[in-house]
């Protein structure tokens, strides 16, 4: 009987924990269970002990004064001792932005119907018209080799077109003369342009990203908005924003650029203002900018603004012609031609009302920047990476069918199928996650953690697929010139890795470090409670939260074990072909929430310095977010059956990476007995996921080397218009011709093998086949057109020394 009783008690425990029952439900359930058991066996010693344990546990838990005194007060003191110290810039970064779907993933029980009900990304008629007309026209004006080799800049006609057609005002409201486009439209525009010219894409991205326009929109005074926004929208002013300095890159807190509040003569009057000294570098558009957004530390030693001396990071707008500014020289980032350079100034005086938002916003610059970056980081750089992925998948798939070795298209070699599949899948994942993020922004979110995930993973995947593309193209890829559509993107791939938060920093410190505070359902509330000055209020607030947190952690431990034992088959998720991926994602979400709490408990405030563990925790939530995006993208695109190999590969890839991140955390966990417990609870039946199999790689590769609907969907949004200088259109034309010619070539080769035709080259053999009636004149014409197209595609450029000198 005792054994049965233990089993029943354990079963009730698991059911209540799995369903996250409230404390009152726990109390009533066990009380009823004990009463029922007592009726059957009132003299049992086991029941007596059970009643004693029940009363010891549940009386203090339900009687709040006792609970607060005996449980919550010691925990509050412990929490205060282990709570990490944070700098002002860290606190402002963490508080920036909003939480959306990533919060569900941290809670361990994502609501998939909520995900699928999110409004899909859509373009308005005006936005679609702009893409079909102005953007198409601009793409037709761009000749990348001329831009990157001959000019090292955009032609003046292109600059003027960009300004005249409002490309610098995509995010500026219509009342100020801008386009007021959505984040998704902004992203689509950058994808189409960036796939043709990285220089043009970057030059348009910066004015519409983290910079003067966005800062003015959210924080500028009415006078600043009325003056600057119409000028920026029309291209009368070209903006840049200067944040990075030689000693302060990712660590903005170490910035030495500073301003002192003082009175000086300005335009003949004694004026309150700021005397600035700064040294900035890596500033895109700086060489041609007419208005400079500047971040600096502001000090008020004479207390002209108030009692505070160290006011903090502040942002100001400064005209280029301000006396003392040194600007115009250029950096040369990896052979790309976009304007980028340093800005310096020493003892430059600006009026106090040049601070963005006026004196009231002095010292609030870092928070302003982080709030803007929370959304902007999900747009510009991801769009650039997706642009590269779309072009690369479209071109490499076709090239692998057109290019032959050993009388067979190279895309049919298993060794080439593997990287081809990765190119297609990575592009699909990148497109899915940037679409999901921009749609969230258009719904009013400023997803700071999600934007870090999107920026990091799109740029990292972009770098990987650039390498795969180069491997497949070989010599065609390394010879630069007008015929090369791969080289400049390959060169530029590391640039996106370094900006708007270096990827190493983003992975190791931001995604989980910021995410666990903002997205965890209880940690931020606990931290706020611990900071309360009133001891009684702090204890009451902390008690309410910590009890929920303990139940949450216990529930996730149980859910991890149960879902691991059942392979998550019991989870209720949307029906369909993707059902198992939803279920497995739920399992890993619960396991992630559990292991995150364990890591916080074990490491406390030192977790922020355990960067490899923090990075792997970030990887788990990142791949859960990528997987969620893929599943939603597939649904939003109509659940096309043809795309199933792509979606299955992408889902298996994400699940495998999640498993590997769990594995690495557990294997490197310093407390080995606890590591064994973690492994049992998370992987009770072992690690069951593997990399996508060769068979699915083969299916994906075949979708890419043929003119399939899936291939067209992958490339959707790229510049595919049939124009003489558009290499993508030329490649598509060659692909269709070469596929049409394949059965003809096969007949010729069979005839050659049987001795039916003569000739040393395929062209001679084709002519012989015609003469002997093996092929028709129409078939010969098809074959010759295909060979001509093939030669053009595989051709590379050559130059004289004078031509190479540029």
């Amino acid at each position: 009987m005792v054994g049965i009783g233990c089993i029943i008690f354990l079963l009730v425990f698991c059911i209540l924990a799995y369903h996250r029952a409230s404390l009152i439900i726990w109390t009533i359930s066990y009380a009823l269970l004990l009463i029922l058991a007592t009726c059957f066996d009132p003299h049992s010693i086991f029941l007596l002990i059970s009643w004693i344990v029940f009363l010891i546990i549940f009386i203090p838990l339900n009687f709040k004064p006792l609970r607060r005194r005996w449980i919550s007060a010691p925990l509050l003191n412990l929490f205060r001792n282990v709570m990490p110290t944070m700098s002002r810039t860290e606190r402002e970064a963490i508080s920036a932005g909003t939480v959306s779907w990533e919060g569900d993933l941290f809670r361990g029980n994502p609501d998939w119907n909520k995900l699928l009900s999110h409004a899909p990304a859509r373009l308005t008629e005006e936005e679609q018209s702009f893409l079909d007309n102005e953007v198409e026209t601009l793409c037709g004006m761009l000749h990348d080799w001329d831009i990157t080799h001959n000019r090292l800049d955009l032609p003046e006609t292109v600059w003027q077109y960009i300004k005249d057609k409002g490309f610098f005002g995509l995010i500026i409201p219509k009342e100020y003369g801008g386009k007021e486009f959505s984040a998704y439209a902004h992203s689509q525009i950058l994808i189409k342009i960036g796939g043709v010219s990285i220089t043009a894409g970057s030059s348009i991205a910066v004015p519409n990203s983290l910079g003067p326009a966005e800062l003015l929109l959210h924080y500028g005074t009415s006078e600043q908005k009325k003056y600057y926004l119409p000028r920026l929208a029309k291209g009368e002013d070209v903006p840049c924003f200067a944040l990075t300095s030689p000693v302060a890159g990712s660590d903005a807190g170490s910035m030495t650029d500073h301003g002192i509040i003082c009175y000086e003569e300005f335009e003949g009057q004694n004026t309150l203002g700021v005397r600035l000294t700064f040294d900035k570098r890596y500033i895109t558009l700086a060489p041609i900018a007419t208005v400079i957004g500047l971040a600096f530390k502001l000090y008020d030693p004479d207390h002209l603004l108030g009692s505070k001396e160290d006011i903090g990071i502040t942002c100001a707008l400064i005209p280029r012609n301000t006396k003392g500014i040194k600007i115009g020289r250029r950096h040369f980032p990896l052979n790309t031609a976009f304007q980028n350079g340093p800005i310096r100034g020493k003892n430059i005086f600006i009026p106090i009302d040049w601070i963005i938002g006026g004196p009231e916003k002095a010292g609030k610059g870092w928070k302003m920047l982080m709030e803007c970056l929370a959304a902007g980081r999900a747009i510009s750089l991801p769009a650039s990476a997706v642009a590269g992925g779309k072009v690369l998948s479209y071109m490499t798939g076709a090239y692998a069918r057109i290019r032959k070795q050993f009388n067979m298209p190279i895309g049919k070699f298993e060794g080439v199928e593997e990287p081809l599949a990765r190119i297609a899948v990575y592009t699909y994942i990148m497109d899915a996650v940037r679409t999901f993020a921009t749609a969230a922004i258009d719904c009013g979110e400023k997803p700071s953690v999600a934007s870090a995930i999107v920026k990091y993973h799109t740029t990292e995947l972009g770098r990987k697929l650039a390498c795969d593309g180069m491997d497949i193209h070989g010599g065609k890829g390394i010879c630069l010139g007008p015929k090369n559509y791969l080289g400049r993107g390959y060169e530029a791939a590391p640039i996106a890795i370094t900006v708007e938060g270096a990827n190493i920093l983003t992975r190791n410190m931001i995604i989980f470090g910021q995410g666990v505070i903002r997205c965890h359902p209880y940690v931020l509330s606990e931290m706020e409670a611990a900071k309360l000055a009133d001891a009684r209020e702090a204890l009451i607030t902390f008690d309410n939260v910590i009890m929920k947190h303990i139940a949450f952690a216990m529930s996730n431990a149980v859910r991890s074990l149960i879902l691991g034992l059942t392979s998550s088959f019991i989870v209720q998720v949307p029906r369909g072909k993707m059902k198992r991926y939803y279920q497995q994602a739920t399992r890993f979400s619960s396991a992630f929430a559990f292991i995150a709490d364990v890591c916080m408990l074990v490491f406390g405030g030192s977790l922020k310095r355990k960067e490899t563990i923090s990075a792997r925790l970030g990887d788990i939530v990142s791949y859960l977010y990528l997987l969620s995006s893929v599943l939603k993208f597939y649904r939003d695109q109509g659940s096309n059956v043809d795309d199933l190999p792509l979606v299955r590969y992408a889902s298996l890839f994400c699940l495998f990476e999640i498993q590997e991140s769990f594995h690495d955390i557990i294997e490197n966990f310093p407390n080995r007995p606890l590591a064994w417990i973690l492994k049992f609870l998370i992987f009770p039946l072992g690690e069951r996921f593997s990399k996508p199999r060769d068979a699915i790689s083969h299916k994906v590769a075949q979708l890419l080397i043929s003119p399939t609907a899936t291939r067209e969907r992958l490339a959707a949004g790229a510049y595919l218009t049939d124009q003489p200088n558009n290499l993508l259109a030329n490649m598509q034309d060659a692909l269709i011709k070469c596929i049409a010619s394949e059965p003809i070539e096969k007949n010729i080769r069979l005839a050659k093998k049987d001795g039916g035709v003569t000739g040393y080259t395929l062209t001679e053999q084709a002519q012989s086949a015609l003469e002997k009636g093996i092929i028709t004149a129409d078939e010969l014409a098809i074959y010759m057109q295909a060979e001509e197209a093939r030669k053009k595609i595989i051709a590379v450029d050559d130059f004289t020394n004078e031509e190479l000198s540029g």
Side-chain angles (χ1 to χ4, degrees):
M1 290 295 292
V2 172
I4 295 174
C6 289
I7 292 172
I8 293 172
F9 270 74
L10 182 61
L11 182 62
V12 171
F13 177 89
C14 290
I15 292 172
L16 294 174
Y18 183 89
H19 291 287
R20 296 180 174 172
S22 64
L23 178 59
I24 190 65
I25 297 298
W26 278 85
T27 306
I28 293 172
S29 298
Y30 272 105
L32 290 174
L33 187 63
L34 287 169
I35 291 170
L36 184 64
T38 304
C39 292
F40 282 97
D41 191 3
H43 305 294
S44 169
I45 298 297
F46 171 74
L47 276 177
L48 177 62
I49 295 172
S50 299
W51 272 110
I52 293 171
V53 172
F54 171 79
L55 294 173
I56 290 173
I57 293 175
F58 284 96
I59 287 178
L61 286 178
N62 284 278
F63 188 57
K64 291 184 179 180
L66 284 178
R67 185 178 77 196
R68 289 168 186 162
R69 182 179 178 183
W70 293 354
I71 301 174
S72 298
L75 288 177
L76 176 57
N77 291 331
L78 175 65
F79 189 86
R80 282 171 169 161
N81 289 331
V82 302
M83 189 168 64
T85 57
M86 288 189 289
S87 66
R88 180 178 175 180
T89 54
E90 285 179 305
R91 290 195 303 272
E92 291 176 343
I94 285 172
S95 66
T98 61
V99 176
S100 55
W101 177 249
E102 61 276 20
D104 285 60
L105 299 175
F106 268 87
R107 290 181 179 90
N109 189 21
D111 182 350
W112 298 109
N113 290 319
K114 172 185 170 183
L115 171 76
L116 297 178
S117 68
H118 284 185
R122 292 285 186 268
L123 295 172
T124 65
E125 290 184 10
E126 182 185 3
E127 291 166 345
Q128 187 64 60
S129 175
F130 190 81
L131 276 161
D132 293 341
N133 295 283
E134 286 87 346
V135 177
E136 283 277 319
T137 299
L138 176 60
C139 289
M141 298 169 68
L142 299 171
H143 304 275
D144 199 51
W145 178 250
D146 180 54
I147 292 167
T148 58
H149 182 72
N150 298 327
R151 299 174 182 272
L152 297 180
D153 194 6
L154 297 173
E156 185 55 40
T157 53
V158 171
W159 277 118
Q160 196 58 51
Y161 184 83
I162 288 172
K163 295 174 183 178
D164 291 344
K165 297 301 180 180
F167 281 88
F168 284 172
L170 300 179
I171 65 171
I172 296 175
K174 289 185 165 106
E175 64 180 293
Y176 297 108
K179 300 293 183 185
E180 202 173 347
F181 283 167
S182 64
Y184 180 62
H186 181 183
S187 177
Q188 289 292 98
I189 291 166
L190 294 179
I191 285 172
K192 182 166 280 192
I193 298 168
V196 180
S197 168
I198 294 170
T199 302
S202 300
S203 300
I204 292 168
V206 168
N208 294 290
S209 183
L210 178 63
E214 188 166 15
L215 290 169
L216 284 169
L217 278 173
H218 295 291
Y219 312 107
T221 65
S222 58
E223 292 78 11
Q224 289 170 341
K225 291 179 181 179
K226 289 176 183 177
Y227 177 77
Y228 277 112
L229 290 179
R231 295 176 60 82
L232 292 169
K234 296 175 185 175
E236 294 174 5
D237 269 326
V238 177
C240 70
F241 191 83
L243 175 61
T244 306
S245 64
V247 297
S250 299
D251 179 15
S254 64
M255 185 187 300
T256 57
D257 311 295
H258 64 277
I260 308 296
I261 295 178
C262 61
Y263 278 98
E264 283 192 17
E265 185 174 325
F266 183 78
E267 295 182 350
Q269 293 185 351
N270 191 35
T271 304
L272 178 64
V274 183
R275 187 170 64 249
L276 289 166
T277 296
F278 55 90
D279 181 6
K280 301 291 190 179
R281 64 180 182 180
Y282 310 150
I283 313 305
T284 299
L285 293 187
I288 62 169
T290 61
V291 59
I292 302 158
L294 184 75
F296 58 91
K297 286 185 175 179
L298 183 63
Y299 300 94
D300 187 11
D302 297 327
H303 304 290
L304 299 175
L305 282 185
S307 60
K308 200 172 181 181
E309 181 174 338
D310 183 356
I311 295 178
I313 295 175
T314 301
C315 299
L317 284 181
I318 306 172
R320 179 191 183 99
N321 58 8
T322 301
K323 185 178 179 181
I325 288 183
K326 295 180 180 179
I327 190 171
R329 293 184 64 81
R330 293 180 64 175
H331 300 309
F332 192 31
L334 292 176
N335 273 337
T336 52
F338 64 86
Q339 296 282 340
N340 184 279
I343 308 175
R344 301 180 179 93
K346 186 174 183 180
N347 292 327
I348 294 171
F349 182 79
I350 66 169
I352 197 75
D353 58 8
W354 287 11
I355 292 175
I356 297 177
E360 296 78 22
K361 295 295 183 184
K364 299 179 181 177
W366 188 244
K367 185 175 182 180
M368 291 157 56
L369 291 169
M370 290 299 98
E371 287 177 347
C372 290
L373 191 62
R377 189 161 46 192
I379 300 174
S380 300
L381 292 171
S384 175
V386 172
K390 286 180 176 292
V391 169
L392 196 61
S393 58
Y394 199 74
M395 298 294 269
T396 307
Y399 182 83
R401 184 67 173 266
I402 294 166
R403 177 68 164 145
K404 292 188 175 183
Q405 295 285 272
F406 309 104
N407 295 325
M408 187 167 74
I410 62 172
K412 295 189 177 182
F413 287 89
E414 288 187 357
V416 175
E417 283 183 343
E418 186 177 12
L420 268 178
R422 284 198 299 265
I423 289 172
V425 171
Y426 290 175
T427 299
Y428 190 89
I429 293 172
M430 290 155 57
D431 202 10
V433 74
R434 71 94 198 177
T435 301
F436 182 37
T438 53
I441 293 168
D442 287 332
C443 289
E445 299 288 351
K446 289 188 176 181
S448 55
V449 176
S451 68
I453 292 172
V454 175
K455 185 269 176 180
Y456 173 80
H457 284 279
T458 54
T459 55
E460 284 294 333
L461 292 175
R463 175 161 59 176
K464 291 175 182 177
L465 63 82
C467 292
D468 280 335
M470 188 63 78
D471 286 349
I472 293 171
H473 282 79
K476 169 71 176 177
I478 65 173
C479 292
L480 292 174
K483 297 183 180 72
N484 190 310
Y485 44 83
L486 182 63
R488 292 303 193 203
Y490 178 84
E491 285 181 313
I495 297 174
I497 302 298
T498 66
V499 296
E500 291 188 6
N503 276 11
I504 289 178
L505 168 79
T506 302
R507 176 175 180 260
N508 285 272
M509 300 179 71
I510 294 178
I511 293 175
F512 181 77
Q514 183 175 347
V516 73
I517 296 174
R518 284 307 308 277
C519 302
H520 192 286
Y522 305 113
V523 169
L524 183 58
S525 298
E526 289 164 347
M527 294 178 71
E528 291 172 345
K531 292 176 186 175
L532 292 173
D534 186 297
R536 184 172 182 277
E537 183 185 1
L539 180 57
I540 292 173
T541 305
F542 185 80
D543 171 72
N544 291 332
V545 179
I546 195 65
M547 289 298 107
K548 294 176 182 177
H549 192 163
I550 292 171
F552 173 76
M554 188 167 60
S555 171
N556 284 318
V558 171
R559 288 175 61 84
S560 296
L561 177 61
I562 292 175
L563 295 180
L565 289 171
T566 62
S567 193
S568 66
F569 275 104
I570 63 174
V571 180
Q572 296 297 311
V573 296
R575 296 179 178 275
K577 296 181 182 297
M578 298 296 105
K579 178 180 178 179
R580 290 296 293 143
Y581 303 124
Y582 287 113
Q583 290 176 326
Q584 297 290 9
T586 299
R587 170 195 170 185
F588 279 142
S589 177
S590 293
F592 167 70
F594 169 59
I595 201 170
D597 274 330
V598 171
C599 288
M600 286 189 288
L601 178 65
V602 172
F603 298 111
S606 66
L607 180 57
K608 64 185 283 187
R609 293 186 293 277
K610 299 291 184 181
E611 294 174 20
T612 53
I613 288 179
S614 179
R616 290 163 184 150
L617 289 166
D619 289 342
I620 294 170
V621 72
S622 293
Y623 282 108
L624 282 169
Y625 192 87
L626 297 185
L627 176 55
S628 303
S629 302
V630 165
L631 296 174
K632 177 168 173 55
F633 195 57
Y634 176 69
R635 173 71 73 89
D636 288 348
Q637 285 198 325
S639 301
N640 295 291
V641 176
D642 294 345
D643 296 347
L644 278 175
L646 263 179
V647 181
R648 284 177 171 148
Y649 188 122
S651 300
L652 291 170
F653 165 75
C654 291
L655 290 169
F656 176 75
E657 292 297 327
I658 293 167
Q659 173 185 274
E660 292 303 286
S661 296
F662 274 118
H663 172 88
D664 290 343
I665 292 170
I666 294 169
E667 288 300 306
N668 291 279
F669 208 79
N671 186 322
R672 295 314 301 159
L674 185 53
W676 299 332
I677 294 172
L678 287 173
K679 187 169 186 178
F680 169 72
L681 290 175
I682 296 173
F683 296 113
L685 301 180
E687 297 173 12
R688 310 292 290 273
F689 290 97
S690 61
K691 292 181 178 180
R693 298 185 182 277
D694 294 342
I696 196 169
S697 292
H698 170 75
K699 291 179 180 178
V700 172
Q702 295 309 302
L703 290 172
L704 208 59
I705 65 173
S706 301
T708 61
T710 298
R711 180 169 174 270
E712 292 300 315
R713 279 189 288 272
L714 267 181
Y719 179 59
L720 305 177
T721 305
D722 188 6
Q723 296 289 342
N725 67 321
N726 188 0
L727 296 178
L728 275 78
N730 295 341
M731 182 71 81
Q732 179 73 354
D733 177 70
L735 173 64
I736 292 170
K737 288 177 177 176
C738 288
I739 290 175
S741 176
E742 284 178 352
I744 301 169
E745 293 179 42
K746 182 178 180 181
N747 289 338
I748 295 172
R749 292 188 187 283
L750 288 174
K752 169 67 175 175
K753 185 177 180 180
D754 295 337
V757 299
T758 58
Y760 295 106
T761 67
L762 276 173
T763 301
E764 292 174 350
Q765 293 165 15
Q767 190 62 44
S768 174
L770 174 66
E771 293 170 357
K772 296 184 178 181
I774 296 171
I775 63 173
T776 66
D778 288 342
E779 289 175 327
L780 177 63
I782 291 171
Y783 170 78
M784 296 303 293
Q785 288 174 3
E787 283 305 297
E788 183 66 24
R790 193 192 317 273
K791 288 177 183 177
K792 288 181 179 179
I793 291 300
I794 66 175
V796 298
D797 298 283
D798 51 71
F799 308 90
T800 64
N801 285 332
E802 291 75 15
E803 289 170 332
L804 275 180
S805 68

